[in-house]
Every structure is written in structure tokens, then in C-alpha cells.
């Protein structure tokens, strides 16, 4: 059945929910600036409803969907932590939110200083020497990083390299980015402990390898224990080490990629540094590099003059060029800066320690009810397998749909690919012990239901506004005005 969007259904001719500023004496001036052919001849067919109805409509919609302000969101790899509202407030300050990106440097001192200091903070967190804030997402950071790696080899006259070594546990964006820049992926297998053995890398290393992309902790939530040996193999063969830093939430103040041989990395500011994300909203995939690679960074680069003032330097002959208009998503940068400065160095370390503690605590609760393929101390997330339940006819997808009935978002499903029926759980540091206990109890209940009342789980969700959706269709068709039942 097709249901009409309620806000149109409530429309009553002549009802009004707004008060516009009085522009009477400017109306003709404004109208005369618009070419005749663009002027409306009839009113736009908008719903006519009162302010209270508008409020109820949007508040109602906001609770039909799941979000972090509404409930627990253990979506592994995505770091769906609670974002302090203070950071939103900072991003909304007029001097930031209303600042035009084409304003001359001399009138942008505050914004430039924020970007400069944020870059320095990210250098400190990563142990790298220089940062670009241009890329707008993690995958975009990967794209930027691989171009920098290519520029490094080409500058040396080394033109035959085209391979990137990637673990079988890698996030899908890694091989996708490799393809998008015209390189070729060479896969290496992780071992039974969930980490990459140096021998596997040595085996495929040759003079056609651009470098290696690693995620640490990896997507199994396990710390890669052989980074130093692997990085030596890659460097000895003339290659570079790239770190996918999306899991930085486990590392801050504890492990610095630059200290153990990584040459390039991207940060997901929208994951680790507190910008609400999901649904393709604005992000930032800032990229950090070593001193040696600094000259290849996208231009313009923010630099300091002798008098201490900041300016954008376009005179960067070795730069890979621009990767984004203006300065990336500036509001995300403000949030990251506010987050870092309000927590301080000790606070960031505590974030990572608590993220790891929460994940291990939760793992110990739920391991009794599900398979745990890698039984090691995890970092900020861990991966369960629903294999035991699959054998009796309940898939991981069913378990995740059933979680919705309890007001909880599902973990990441069927990823990483090397774990059958995977459930990747990342509780984040912002959840209380009570929430973790509650989630543990829900997982226990679902495991029991899978045995005793299978149908209840396989037909879930039962309490949500819509039931099982055509998820691919929902993403592709994007028709928000009608809901198919
Ligand atoms: C999220 C993520 C990415 C990609 O980041 P986007 O901002 O979504 O493009 C890459 N690698 C890992 C491990 C991730 O979790």
C-alpha cells in the first residue's frame, strides 16, 4: 500500500506556520533582479500547515529513524560515538559558519589559525609531520594518499610501480581506491591470530609495489603486531607504508603511526573526532605525511609568514594538485578542533582507553551466546560470528533485525568478509556500563529466542515503523514522499 506523506495530507488552504521578515520596500528591487522567465506565475504547491504541526511532523520523523541521540549504535568500524553538543555549538558560531571561503587571508585570521592548529594537533596525535585538511571523507583521503605515493615514486623517476599490498581484512574502500587511481591490488592473508604475518608480505614484495595499505587496529579489532617488520620489508623494497586511520579511536595517546614506519595516513575526523555521520553527510578525511612527502600535499598549503601571519601558498610545484574546493568541510574541522581542545591530550588518551575497555567488557558478556572466531584481547571493537545460529536457521541478518525491536542499532553485518555471518561490534567509549549490560542481556535473549522461538527472530522487526525494507532499492530510488509497506 502506498501512504501519502502526512505533511501534505494535513495541508489546509490559508494555514500558515511562518513569519517572514518585512521586505516590502525591497520586494520590487529583488524581483527586478530576477529574469522574467524565472519568475513564478503560481504559488509553489507547498503544504499549508501551522508551526505546531510542522514541529510534530519533524520531531515525529526524527524518532522513526535510529540515531545516536536516540539509542545505542554499535556499528563496527563506523565509530558511532555520542558527539558532544558543545562541538556543534562551536561549528555554529557566526564567525565560522558565516565566513565566506573566498574571504581574503587577511580577514580570515581566526579560521586559518584554527586550521593551522588542528593540523598541528593531528601531527601530534599521529606522529607525522604535515597534514592536509582538504579531503572530504576517508575514501577521499585514501585517494589523496595514493596520489601522493605515486608522485613520490615518479619524482624519483621510478615509473614501473603499480601494485598496492592490502590485507584480506581490509575495508572495501581500500581496494576500491586502489582501482580508482589505476593501481592494482595484491592481497595478503591474515593468520589464525587475525594479523598479517611479515612472511606473507615478503612473499609478494617486489619492485613493482607502490606500497602497502594497512588498517590498525585492523577490521577484526585486533592490533597488528608485526608493523615494524612489515614496514622494514616494504621500505627495503623501495615502497611506502599507508595507514588507514579510520580506527584511530583505539590509538590516541597510545600508538602513533608515524613512530613505527607509516609514511602516509588518513584520519576520519567524522568518526574519531566527533562529527555526526552516516547517510553520506559531510566528513573529513584529513591526510598526514612524513617530512619527505610533504611537498606532494594538495595545494594550497597553509603556511606561516615571518611576521607570524598565515597564508595559502599555491607555489608548490611538486603538489598533486587540489582534491577539493576550498578547505574541505570546514564545519567538521571546527568540531574536531573543539573536541581535541576540550579533551586535551590526556582526555584523548582516556577516550581510547575507555573505547578498548568497553569493547573487551562487552565481548566477555556476549561471547557465551555467539561464536568468537578470534579469541584475543580486542582493541575498540570485536567480531562475533552467527554461525551457531545459522546452523539452526537464524541468520546474522535476522539477529540484527531483531535488535531493532529493542531500540538498538545492529552491529556491522557480514564484514569483515573473512568471518562467516560476521557481527562487528563497536560500543565506543561514550556508552555507560549499564548500556553495555543491557545490550548483553538483549543479545542473550535473542540467542535464546533463536533456539526456542525461531520465527520471532526470522520475522523481525515487529515494532518498527516499517518492517524489512528493500535496502538496495531504498538507497537507489530515494523517494521519501511514499513508503512501501
Ligand atoms: C569508514 C572507513 C573507511 C572509509 O571512510 P569514509 O569516510 O566512509 O569514506 C575506510 N576504512 C575503514 C577501516 C573505515 O572504517
Amino acid at each position: 500500500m502506498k501512504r501519502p506523506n502526512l505533511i501534505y495530507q494535513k495541508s489546509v488552504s490559508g494555514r500558515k506556520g511562518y513569519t517572514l521578515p518585512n521586505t516590502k520596500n525591497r520586494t520590487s528591487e529583488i524581483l527586478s533582479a530576477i529574469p522574467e522567465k524565472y519568475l513564478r506565475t503560481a504559488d509553489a504547491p507547498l503544504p499549508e500547515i501551522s508551526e505546531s504541526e510542522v514541529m510534530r511532523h519533524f520531531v515525529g520523523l526524527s524518532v522513526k529513524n535510529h540515531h545516536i541521540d536516540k539509542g545505542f549504535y554499535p556499528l563496527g568500524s563506523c565509530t558511532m560515538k555520542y558527539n558532544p553538543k558543545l562541538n556543534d555549538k562551536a561549528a555554529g558560531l557566526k564567525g565560522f559558519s558565516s565566513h565566506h571561503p573566498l574571504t581574503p587571508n587577511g580577514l580570515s585570521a581566526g579560521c586559518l589559525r584554527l586550521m593551522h592548529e588542528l593540523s598541528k594537533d593531528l601531527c601530534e596525535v599521529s606522529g607525522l609531520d604535515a597534514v592536509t585538511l582538504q579531503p572530504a571523507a576517508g575514501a577521499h583521503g585514501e585517494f589523496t594518499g595514493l596520489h601522493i605515493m605515486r608522485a613520490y615514486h615518479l619524482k624519483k623517476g621510478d615509473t614501473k610501480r603499480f601494485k598496492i599490498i592490502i590485507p584480506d581484512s581490509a575495508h572495501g574502500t581500500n581496494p576500491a581506491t586502489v582501482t580508482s587511481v589505476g593501481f592494482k591490488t595484491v592481497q595478503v592473508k591474515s593468520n589464525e591470530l587475525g594479523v598479517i604475518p611479515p612472511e606473507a608480505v615478503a612473499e609478494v614484495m617486489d619492485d613493482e609495489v607502490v606500497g602497502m595499505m594497512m588498517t590498525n587496529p585492523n577490521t577484526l579489532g585486533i592490533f597488528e603486531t608485526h608493523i615494524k617488520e612489515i614496514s622494514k620489508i616494504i621500505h627495503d623494497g623501495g615502497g611506502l607504508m599507508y595507514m588507514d586511520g579510520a580506527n584511530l579511536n583505539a590509538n590516541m595517546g597510545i600508538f602513533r603511526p608515524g613512530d613505527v614506519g607509516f609514511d602516509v595516513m588518513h584520519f576520519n575526523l567524522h568518526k574519531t573526532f566527533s562529527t555526526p555521520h552516516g547517510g553520506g553527510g559531510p566528513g573529513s578525511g584529513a591526510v598526514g605525511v612524513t617530512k619527505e612527502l610533504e611537498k606532494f600535499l594538495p595545494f594550497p598549503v597553509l603556511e606561516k609568514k615571518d611576521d607570524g601571519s598565515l597564508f595559502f601558498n599555491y607555489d608548490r610545484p611538486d603538489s598533486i594538485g587540489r582534491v577539493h574546493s576550498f578547505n574541505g568541510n570546514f564545519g567538521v574541522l571546527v568540531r574536531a578542533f573543539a573536541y581535541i581542545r576540550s579533551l586535551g591530550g590526556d582526555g584523548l588518551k582516556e577516550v581510547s582507553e575507555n573505547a578498548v575497555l568497553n569493547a573487551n567488557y562487552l565481548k566477555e558478556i556476549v561471547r557465551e551466546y555467539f561464536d568468537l572466531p578470534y579469541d584475543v584481547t580486542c582493541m575498540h571493537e570485536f567480531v562475533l560470528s552467527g554461525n551457531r545460529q545459522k546452523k539452526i536457521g537464524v541468520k546474522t541478518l535476522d539477529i540484527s533485525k531483531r535488535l531493532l525491536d529493542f531500540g538498538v542499532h545492529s552491529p556491522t553485518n557480514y564484514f569483515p568478509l573473512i568471518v562467516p555471518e560476521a557481527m562487528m561490534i563497536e560500543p565506543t567509549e561514550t556508552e555507560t556500563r549499564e548500556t553495555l549490560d543491557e545490550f548483553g542481556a538483549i543479545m542473550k535473549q535473542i540467542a535464546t529466542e533463536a533456539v526456542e522461538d525461531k520465527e520471532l527472530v526470522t520475522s523481525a522487526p515487529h515494532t518498527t515503523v516499517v518492517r524489512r525494507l528493500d535496502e538496495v532499492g531504498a538507497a537507489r530510488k530515494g523517494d521519501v514522499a511514499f513508503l512501501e509497506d
Side-chain angles (χ1 to χ4, degrees), residues 77-78 137-140 142 171 173-174 215 219 244 246-247 266 268 270-271:
S77 211
C78 295
H140 197 190
E142 294 168 24
H171 194 262
T173 52
N174 293 184
T215 307
T219 57
D244 177 331
N247 290 340
H266 78 259
N268 289 61
H270 47 291
K271 291 180 183 170

Side-chain angles (χ1 to χ4, degrees), residues 69 83-84 89 101 126 204 218 240 245 287 290 300 330 332 366 373 458 468:
D69 290 343
N83 305 293
K89 203 165 172 187
S126 63
V204 294
N218 64 32
L240 294 169
V287 170
T290 57
F330 188 72
V332 180
V366 297
T458 56
R468 292 209 183 188

